[in-house]
Amino acid sequence: MDERRPETDTPREQGAPPGAPVPPPAPPPVAPPAAEPTHWYDRLENGLTSVIRVVSAALLLAIVLTISWQVTTRYIPDMRVPRWTEEVSLIFMVWLAMLGSGLAVRAGEHLSVDILTRQLPKQVQRWLERAVWLGFAGFGGYLAWFGWELSQRTMAQTFAATQLPVGWMYLGLPFGGALMALYSLRNVVRLPHPELDEVIESANVRGNWTVRIALVVILAVLVGGAFMLFGPDVLLGPVGVLLGSMAVLMLLGVPIAVALGLASLITVLTVHLIDPNMRALPPLIVAQRMANGVSSTPLLAIPFFILAGLIMAEGGIASRLVEFSRVLVGPIRGGLAHVNVVASMLFGGTSGSAVADVSSNGSILIPMMKKRGYDADFSVGVTVASSVQGIIIPPSHNAVIYSLAAGGVSISALFLAGYLPGAMIGLFLMLASYALALRRGYPSDSRPPLRESLRVSVVAMPGLLVGLIIVGGIAFGWFTATQAAAIGAVVAFLVSTLIYREMGFRKVWRVAQQAVRTISIVIFLIATASAFAWLMAYLRIPAILASGILGFSDNPIVLLALINVLLLLLGAIMDMAPLILILTPILLPIVTADPISMSAVHFGIMLLMNLGLGLTTPPVGTALFVGCAIGKIRIESASRAMIYLWPPLLLALILVTYFPWFVEVVPRAFGVLN
């Protein structure tokens, strides 16, 4: 969700020595001015969009300032920590999520699994997209109607500290739903062309037989596995309606969040018709469960982690970490490959996003590696493979999502548990890169002179400070996860503006707008996944699945292998955040019970590693698509290089799966894991 178009190579990227003067880049070609909208509807819609953008950015700024003030008061003598800050921030966040989701609808940025529809003729794709937007408009209308009813029912309830009506928070649902419906109907007439679509198209996904074969094989295995685990009788009942409608909607290209919401609504409306023994459920229950899913204080950490990661990606931190990595590992044979891995380790530990890592580091390192004689497939492959570290090494907003989905697993324990597995991934990739460098004759990269090396190291320290503040503050109990994330976003902003001076007003505004849309997509997804998860529990899907899995074997080694295969297959066709939200309530009770008896923290790291691998594989590997777009190569070429890089990732996964020590030793040393 942080994908950017590849930038033009600069002299520094082409291998000029550190410290060499870099001439200013040539100005981009000036596009002809866009025609002013002449129709009254266009002017009205553009004006409304501008207002929503300003309001959403103001809400995000208000949340940052409110939580930052809460942290500040803890360290001012004789000042009591305010209790109202989190309640006000929750109200702002729900409104931000719903209004920002409308903006994401306008831009066509909500996550979707549209790899199947991309194989269809263009004309069929366009008509199918219009049908999808009509379905989105219908779901927006549902939220507007029943969200209003929910807000009115909760007006009599009040928050504890502020005594503000809870209904004020839930009013965001009808307003956001109406906005989504409006923009969805607009998209029926004017199909949006989001930036990610351009990235995927440049990776030659359409008509790609590698993608098609992978898609057919994975879908066949998953469908066959579903019948084996659940049985035909269960799949012909409400369970089949819930899971089947979700799968069909997603394969038709419906955004994942809406597919979860619509599947939940379809099941609620039909459950008593399919199974007369089950009582009828009111349609309001979906909106109610969505609202419950986002009215959680720990959820406030996610916007800050996303904002901090975007600031770091745009604020010059990535390029300085690349230079610092050249000082550390450049002289090793295949030096730029090792620089790529170490830079991903350092930047991933601050952004917490694999796609952000590929976008930021890849736009610098892939052209640089190609210029120095590295093969394009290897340059892209090592960039994509090393990006998995960004999901494991803290701080990671995906770990926060897992914590929420798992019912409140310690975020500090998850963060600390990710360090050693992330370092293992980096070490194994460096060993594989060294072997390939010897085989293909890749050069080493000279280390700058001592004085220059010291300067580069000192300049990189402020960027590393952001991650240390976040993780250290949580581990030592100085801040909660939400407070640490807020402080991290503020520090990242100060470093980028005052020290590196690469965040002017326009860039800050662009980052704020991207952050609003990204945050909204994630929060809205959590909302609909909450309703979906409640229905899974209501239909006893976790218990049915547990019985099916345990029917294969009672050997924990075999069971963990089966779960890993399931996660790898699902991760290859679906994005990480929705899978965390869907799978955690299903699999966590299975792995924490006999005969596996795995800790929730251990399973969380195993889950993140599995799904991170999915970002690097066809047919829906977002990190792989972005890398191919930057390197200007086809997926087949990158996959050939990944054949040498997937085994190190799988080796790290196996060690983490079967040896809890690798996950638990660091959090135990800090006393955050019993």
Side-chain angles (χ1 to χ4, degrees):
M1 292 177 281
D2 184 36
E3 293 79 9
R4 298 179 297 166
R5 300 295 298 162
E7 299 175 359
T8 306
D9 295 354
T10 64
R12 172 68 53 82
E13 292 169 348
Q14 296 173 357
V22 179
V30 179
E36 290 292 328
T38 56
H39 198 279
W40 67 269
Y41 171 81
D42 292 326
R43 293 194 296 271
L44 179 63
E45 190 263 333
N46 287 341
L48 174 65
T49 301
S50 299
V51 171
I52 297 298
R53 284 174 176 163
V54 172
V55 171
S56 300
L59 287 170
L60 178 58
L61 178 61
I63 295 172
V64 173
L65 293 177
T66 301
I67 298 298
S68 299
W69 171 248
Q70 182 190 56
V71 177
T72 303
T73 56
R74 295 181 61 180
Y75 300 97
I76 298 178
D78 301 324
M79 179 168 285
R80 187 172 61 182
V81 177
R83 297 173 54 208
W84 56 268
T85 50
E86 291 183 351
E87 295 177 355
V88 171
S89 296
L90 274 177
I91 296 174
F92 288 165
M93 187 184 67
V94 173
W95 277 86
L96 167 66
M98 297 307 298
L99 297 179
S101 290
L103 295 176
V105 169
R106 187 179 189 270
E109 292 182 338
H110 279 276
L111 296 172
S112 61
V113 184
D114 55 0
I115 199 70
L116 180 64
T117 61
R118 288 181 185 278
Q119 309 306 315
L120 301 174
K122 286 288 186 181
Q123 189 66 25
V124 177
Q125 284 188 50
R126 285 193 287 269
W127 283 108
L128 191 56
E129 284 183 58
R130 290 187 173 93
V132 166
W133 287 120
L134 284 174
F136 206 139
F139 189 68
Y142 164 82
L143 289 177
W145 183 271
F146 287 97
W148 175 262
E149 180 181 344
L150 179 64
S151 66
Q152 297 309 299
R153 288 189 178 191
T154 53
M155 281 296 178
Q157 305 173 24
T158 58
F159 288 101
T162 60
Q163 296 300 306
L164 293 173
V166 174
W168 286 11
M169 177 173 67
Y170 293 154
L171 266 177
L173 267 69
F175 277 90
L179 198 63
M180 290 181 207
L182 173 66
Y183 283 134
S184 296
L185 293 174
R186 170 192 180 274
N187 290 349
V188 173
V189 180
R190 293 181 191 163
L191 293 176
H193 299 285
E195 187 177 353
L196 183 58
D197 276 1
E198 299 177 16
V199 172
I200 294 176
E201 288 299 327
S202 64
N204 299 301
V205 172
R206 186 173 182 272
N208 188 301
W209 283 102
T210 300
V211 171
R212 290 179 175 178
I213 293 171
L215 187 62
V216 170
V217 170
I218 292 172
L219 289 178
V221 172
L222 290 175
V223 171
F227 273 93
M228 291 177 64
L229 289 172
F230 290 102
D233 293 339
V234 173
L235 290 179
L236 291 176
V239 171
V241 173
L242 181 66
L243 300 180
S245 58
M246 177 200 68
V248 170
L249 288 169
M250 286 198 300
L251 290 176
L252 290 176
V254 177
I256 296 171
V258 179
L260 295 174
L262 285 175
S264 303
L265 187 58
I266 291 170
T267 306
V268 165
L269 295 176
T270 60
V271 63
H272 65 292
L273 300 176
I274 298 173
D275 187 348
N277 296 322
M278 303 188 75
R279 64 184 179 89
L281 296 173
L284 179 65
I285 194 70
V286 175
Q288 185 180 26
R289 292 296 166 178
M290 286 178 61
N292 291 343
V294 295
S295 56
S296 169
T297 301
L299 197 64
L300 288 168
I302 293 176
F304 297 125
F305 283 129
I306 292 174
L307 177 61
L310 290 172
I311 292 173
M312 294 170 199
E314 296 283 351
I317 291 177
S319 59
R320 286 162 177 84
L321 292 180
V322 168
E323 293 296 333
F324 180 55
S325 302
R326 292 179 70 179
V327 171
L328 295 178
V329 296
I332 305 174
R333 186 66 177 267
L336 284 183
H338 303 303
V339 169
N340 202 323
V341 174
V342 173
S344 296
M345 189 182 300
L346 298 176
F347 182 72
T350 51
S351 76
S353 168
V355 176
D357 180 9
V358 174
S359 301
S360 299
N361 290 344
S363 61
I364 299 171
L365 282 165
I366 291 176
M368 186 187 298
M369 292 178 70
K370 290 167 66 177
K371 189 70 175 180
R372 291 293 304 274
Y374 292 79
D375 295 319
D377 64 337
F378 176 71
S379 303
V380 170
V382 73
T383 304
V384 171
S386 64
S387 69
V388 178
Q389 298 170 106
I391 299 162
I392 310 301
I393 297 177
S396 169
H397 63 268
N398 290 298
V400 178
I401 294 175
Y402 169 76
S403 171
L404 295 168
V409 175
S410 169
I411 294 176
S412 59
L414 285 169
F415 278 4
L416 293 172
Y419 273 117
L420 189 53
M424 287 166 52
I425 291 174
L427 176 62
F428 293 164
L429 286 175
M430 290 177 71
L431 291 174
S433 299
Y434 182 77
L436 278 173
L438 292 176
R439 180 178 178 181
R440 297 187 179 186
Y442 295 146
S444 59
D445 199 51
S446 60
R447 179 179 283 122
L450 178 60
R451 187 173 181 178
E452 178 65 17
S453 297
L454 291 174
R455 186 195 67 81
V456 168
S457 302
V458 170
V459 169
M461 288 303 109
L464 294 172
L465 182 65
V466 179
L468 292 176
I469 288 176
I470 294 175
V471 180
I474 296 173
F476 291 106
W478 299 334
F479 317 124
T480 66
T482 301
Q483 295 167 348
I487 295 298
V490 172
V491 173
F493 174 77
L494 295 176
V495 168
S496 299
T497 54
L498 301 181
I499 299 178
Y500 296 156
R501 299 185 179 181
E502 294 197 16
M503 289 285 288
F505 176 78
R506 289 185 178 180
K507 188 175 283 190
V508 170
W509 177 251
R510 185 170 70 246
V511 167
Q513 291 301 307
Q514 180 60 43
V516 165
R517 295 201 299 271
T518 305
I519 292 165
S520 303
I521 290 168
V522 173
I523 302 300
F524 185 63
L525 177 61
I526 291 173
T528 56
S530 298
F532 189 84
W534 179 85
L535 270 170
M536 285 197 300
Y538 180 77
L539 298 175
R540 300 183 65 251
I541 291 178
I544 298 172
L545 185 62
S547 176
I549 291 177
L550 294 175
F552 280 98
S553 172
D554 58 358
N555 187 319
I557 296 176
V558 175
L559 293 175
L560 285 174
L562 289 173
I563 292 172
N564 273 318
V565 170
L566 173 66
L567 293 175
L568 289 171
L569 290 174
L570 290 172
I573 61 171
M574 195 168 169
D575 279 290
M576 172 174 284
L579 280 175
I580 294 172
L581 294 165
I582 295 170
L583 295 176
T584 300
I586 297 175
L587 296 178
L588 185 61
I590 298 174
V591 299
T592 54
D594 289 333
I596 298 177
S597 300
M598 177 183 283
S599 73
V601 171
H602 185 188
F603 175 68
I605 300 301
M606 187 186 89
L607 175 70
L608 293 178
M609 290 183 71
N610 271 288
L611 302 184
L613 270 165
L615 296 175
T616 72
T617 60
V620 191
T622 313
L624 181 64
F625 292 161
V626 175
C628 290
I630 295 173
K632 299 180 176 64
I633 64 173
R634 293 179 62 86
I635 291 174
E636 291 92 343
S637 298
S639 297
R640 281 195 294 269
M642 291 298 295
I643 290 173
Y644 300 99
L645 300 171
W646 279 320
L649 297 176
L650 289 171
L651 176 59
L653 174 61
I654 290 170
L655 291 175
V656 164
T657 299
Y658 292 108
F659 298 95
W661 182 88
F662 290 107
V663 174
E664 298 176 352
V665 60
V666 177
R668 287 190 191 280
F670 280 83
V672 296
L673 183 65
N674 295 324

